[in-house]
Amino acid sequence: VQLQASGGGLVQAGDSLRLSCAVSGLTFSSYVMSWFRQAPGKEREFVAGIRWSGTSTYYADSVKGRFTISRDNAKNTVYLQMNSLKPEDTAVYYCAAGGGALRLDKDVYDFWGQETQVTVSS
């Protein structure tokens, strides 16, 4: 199983970025997909999640209204559109696949991608 995240970078506050996570080696449409992030010295935290059908999503309060998660089951890819970025969004971002319900707990996820760095300057 591989989860290949991409799209991170260095931007200014107020800018936008779109992260992508291409998945292979599993039945993508059967999995909940989520994005997590981890800032230096902090715990890894849930950012956004989407159920297999794409019709149900959930966001952390800190990103609600600014970030949008979506998925393309035909391309085995999940996206995170990040608008109105803030310096506090600076972190390494991870995509994760889980076989159960959409959960915020990172420990229930089965597969993880490599990190992609997002840095937002003020």
Side-chain angles (χ1 to χ4, degrees):
V1 176
Q2 286 192 321
L3 284 70
Q4 186 75 30
S6 61
L10 171 62
V11 297
Q12 294 186 329
D15 285 351
S16 298
L17 277 176
R18 189 176 83 153
L19 304 184
S20 299
C21 177
V23 179
S24 60
L26 54 76
T27 305
F28 179 74
S29 60
S30 297
Y31 281 78
V32 165
M33 297 298 301
S34 292
W35 288 93
F36 288 76
R37 68 186 181 187
Q38 188 167 15
K42 294 189 176 182
E43 294 285 321
R44 190 173 299 189
E45 64 175 2
F46 175 88
V47 176
I50 187 167
R51 293 186 65 188
W52 65 271
S53 65
T55 58
S56 180
T57 58
Y58 191 83
Y59 297 92
D61 287 343
S62 58
V63 307
K64 203 172 294 183
R66 299 188 298 121
F67 290 12
T68 302
I69 188 170
S70 62
R71 66 190 295 160
D72 186 336
N73 286 346
K75 295 183 178 179
N76 286 6
T77 301
V78 62
Y79 306 97
L80 185 68
Q81 178 67 42
M82 304 185 295
N83 299 331
S84 303
L85 282 161
K86 304 176 180 180
E88 50 263 44
D89 295 318
T90 295
V92 292
Y93 284 70
Y94 302 86
C95 57
L102 201 169
R103 300 272 298 275
L104 280 63
D105 182 359
K106 63 182 184 302
D107 293 332
V108 305
Y109 285 80
D110 302 304
F111 305 103
W112 290 84
Q114 91 289 354
E115 63 190 48
T116 186
Q117 176 72 47
V118 172
T119 303
V120 184
S121 63
S122 58

